[in-house]
Amino acid sequence: MKEVKTEAKKEKKATFGMALLVMGCTVAILLTGVLVLKQDPHIPLLTATIPISLYGLYLNISWNELMDSAYKSITECMEAAILVLTIGMVVGAWIASGTVPFIVYWGVKVLSPVTVLPLTLVLTATMSTLTGSSWTTVGTLGVAFMGIGAALGINPAMVVGAVVCGAFWGNAQSPLADVPVFSEAVANVKLYKGTKASMAANVPALIITFVIFLVVGLQSGTKGSLGALDTLEPFLNGLQANYNLTPIVMVPVIVMVIMMVLKCPAIPIRFAAAFTGVACAVFLQHETLADSIGYMLNGFVSNTGIADVDNVLTRGGLMGMTGTIVIMIFSMWMAGLIHRTGIMEVILEKVADVIRRPSILVGTTTITTLVFSYVAADPFLAVTLPAKAYGKIYDELKLDRSIMCRSISMAAYFAPMVPWGSGGIFVAATLGVPVMKYLPYYYVAFLAPIIAIVLAMVGVAMPKTDETSMKEDKETVKEEEKGEVLC
């Protein structure tokens, strides 16, 4: 009896037309589910994987191969997922310890509605730049400034806008942050060169954003003061009556800052910050150890009897972040499928064929990064694909690749703009304001890309590579550095 052999079908290559159709279906599902039907992103994200998976099967990619790519993509986000959970622990512990109430109390005492928004921007930008972590900034300073803003009668969406502007500005600019470092690696430029090039767009964007928030604060200051006047004293009295507001409660902050200066890993820093908060809750706020550990798990629930205080201080906890983790898993699942089917590469190849002017190249790189941030909900995929597609064109036009870094690192700004992305879900879950409500106040994310494109149009901050550099092997960073000009 002859043995029958079955040959595996040869894998097809994605076509431009079908790739556009599949991505159009994917975007339509996401936008309809989140923006039209007002659903949480979980089911729309899961549903959006269906057309991509079906197209992958049509290309003769086996289901197992598709899922292997999805699993690999999900695995790459596990460290970030654990980080999100630990930030939830920190928020719950720091409220119970009195750390957040202490910052809120003195912030309300010292600040005014005029100064809250610009100061929020400056402090969150500073912390995020020094630590390289936008999420930690949102989960600590962001929570505190939300309380200050609420007490002073400021629109919560504006406060979140200021927090996100500062926190993610640092994530886009800091040489310690993951996106700028990853952008430099993918673009093949030496360390810190990309972040220096990015300053040409990011610094003016931050300054303009500061001025906008200052003007907004001046315009809304009187309304905020009058609106909060009747509730301000009860709010402060409520904090004083329910917490021991000694400066010792700032110990968890000091511990976290010291460990960051010592360059300790991110997750151990959050553990130390959370458990130091538990110690303060037990010894300074007279909470039981069991209750304090429970706050790390389920979040802190304030029961002062004063509605404004309870609204501000009821938040945090590891379990409160589980919805964000599910979003991360589903979004990375979709990113893995997109990568395996190659549909993005096909679209980019077609786009790359028609780009031959510096201003159009920079604009296309920036817009592509934005589109991929929305479609794939993954900043690292949004950085990688444009860099691979357009890198050679920068070389052909003799443009330094640090210019490309300036554009692709905008993915850090775009992350909290995506309602179904981990960045947007994290901010919304932590600060309690949906993405679409704070988006109109996320000024820096609109300004920085526009400034980058304008710089390309007028030919400012657009360094060239010399002939020697153009002949070198771009795959080796050491060889690239011989002909590069720092900007």
Side-chain angles (χ1 to χ4, degrees):
M1 187 174 179
K2 293 184 178 179
E3 184 179 343
V4 178
K5 295 184 178 179
T6 57
E7 294 183 2
K9 293 182 179 179
K10 184 178 180 181
E11 182 178 327
K12 303 176 186 177
K13 180 178 173 61
T15 62
F16 178 70
M18 283 300 295
L20 278 181
L21 179 61
V22 171
M23 292 315 303
C25 292
T26 301
V27 173
I29 290 170
L30 291 170
L31 293 178
T32 302
V34 176
L35 301 183
V36 178
L37 300 179
K38 307 295 183 183
Q39 296 293 306
D40 289 333
H42 304 71
I43 300 304
L45 258 178
L46 193 59
T47 307
T49 64
I50 295 175
I52 307 172
S53 300
L54 290 176
Y55 188 53
L57 295 174
Y58 169 78
L59 295 175
N60 294 328
I61 303 172
S62 70
W63 177 255
N64 288 338
E65 287 183 277
L66 289 171
M67 292 310 297
D68 284 344
S69 181
Y71 295 149
K72 182 180 178 182
S73 181
I74 291 169
T75 301
E76 292 171 351
C77 81
M78 282 300 99
E79 183 178 0
I82 295 173
L83 180 61
V84 170
L85 295 175
T86 57
I87 291 174
M89 292 167 53
V90 170
V91 174
W94 279 23
I95 295 176
S97 68
T99 303
V100 170
F102 180 87
I103 297 173
V104 171
Y105 179 84
W106 285 105
V108 172
K109 292 276 284 186
V110 173
L111 300 179
S112 70
V114 175
T115 58
V116 168
L117 294 177
L119 188 63
T120 299
L121 173 71
V122 171
L123 291 182
T124 52
T126 301
M127 180 174 179
S128 186
T129 303
L130 294 177
T131 63
S133 176
S134 55
W135 286 14
T136 300
T137 304
V138 170
T140 53
L141 276 183
V143 172
F145 275 109
M146 282 297 292
I148 296 170
L152 294 174
I154 300 174
N155 182 351
M158 286 187 182
V159 180
V160 177
V163 170
V164 174
C165 281
F168 286 88
W169 184 89
N171 195 229
Q173 182 58 59
S174 173
L176 303 177
D178 48 6
V179 173
V181 173
F182 184 73
S183 298
E184 289 170 337
V186 171
N188 238 354
V189 303
K190 72 178 182 180
L191 197 61
Y192 306 137
K193 186 173 184 179
T195 54
K196 290 180 180 179
S198 297
M199 291 178 68
N202 290 340
V203 172
L206 184 67
I207 294 172
I208 296 172
T209 300
F210 177 84
V211 173
I212 292 173
F213 277 124
L214 188 60
V215 172
V216 170
L218 289 169
Q219 291 180 342
S220 62
T222 303
K223 290 183 180 179
S225 297
L226 293 174
L229 189 60
D230 294 335
T231 59
L232 200 54
E233 282 304 315
F235 183 90
L236 294 174
N237 292 336
L239 290 175
Q240 273 189 315
N242 289 275
Y243 289 95
N244 176 14
L245 299 179
T246 170
I248 301 175
V249 297
M250 293 299 290
V251 168
V253 178
I254 296 171
V255 169
M256 186 179 73
V257 171
I258 290 174
M259 292 185 70
M260 286 177 172
V261 171
L262 296 177
K263 301 187 184 304
C264 297
I267 291 175
I269 291 175
R270 277 58 174 189
F271 271 113
F275 283 103
T276 308
V278 167
C280 288
V282 171
F283 293 107
L284 298 176
Q285 309 302 336
H286 307 296
E287 296 279 359
T288 67
L289 180 60
D291 285 345
S292 299
I293 294 174
Y295 298 142
M296 289 198 295
L297 177 64
N298 297 310
F300 187 83
V301 179
S302 178
N303 293 303
T304 64
I306 301 173
D308 290 336
V309 174
D310 293 341
N311 289 337
V312 168
L313 299 182
T314 299
R315 62 185 70 229
L318 183 149
M319 295 303 295
M321 295 298 176
T322 54
T324 304
I325 303 304
V326 174
I327 291 292
M328 293 177 69
I329 291 173
F330 286 172
S331 64
M332 295 306 290
W333 180 352
M334 185 172 69
L337 296 177
I338 290 172
H339 177 72
R340 181 62 185 87
T341 55
I343 54 182
M344 287 297 197
E345 286 85 347
V346 171
I347 294 173
L348 283 178
E349 285 174 5
K350 182 68 70 172
V351 173
D353 289 340
V354 298
I355 303 172
R356 285 297 178 269
R357 289 177 57 186
S359 58
I360 297 177
L361 176 59
V362 170
T364 304
T365 305
T366 305
I367 293 171
T368 301
T369 303
L370 171 63
V371 171
F372 288 171
S373 295
Y374 266 86
V375 174
D378 175 20
F380 297 104
L381 189 63
V383 165
T384 302
L385 293 178
K388 288 182 177 180
Y390 305 137
K392 290 182 180 179
I393 305 177
Y394 280 86
D395 296 340
E396 291 170 5
L397 296 179
K398 297 183 180 181
L399 294 173
D400 195 290
R401 285 197 175 200
S402 62
I403 301 170
M404 182 169 66
C405 275
R406 182 189 299 155
S407 292
I408 61 178
S409 64
M410 297 289 175
Y413 286 128
F414 300 146
M417 299 172 70
V418 185
W420 50 83
S422 57
I425 292 296
F426 172 76
V427 172
T430 304
L431 302 182
V433 176
V435 174
M436 300 312 295
K437 286 191 175 180
Y438 69 71
L439 189 58
Y441 307 104
Y442 188 23
Y443 304 118
V444 73
F446 300 103
L447 290 168
I450 292 173
I451 292 172
I453 295 172
V454 170
L455 289 174
M457 293 175 63
V458 299
V460 175
M462 296 283 287
K464 297 273 188 177
T465 53
D466 59 28
E467 292 298 326
T468 302
S469 178
M470 290 300 296
K471 293 177 183 178
E472 294 171 348
D473 181 5
K474 290 294 182 182
E475 298 299 320
T476 306
V477 174
K478 185 181 293 186
E479 292 180 355
E480 282 187 334
E481 293 175 359
K482 293 178 182 178
E484 289 174 341
V485 180
L486 290 175
C487 61

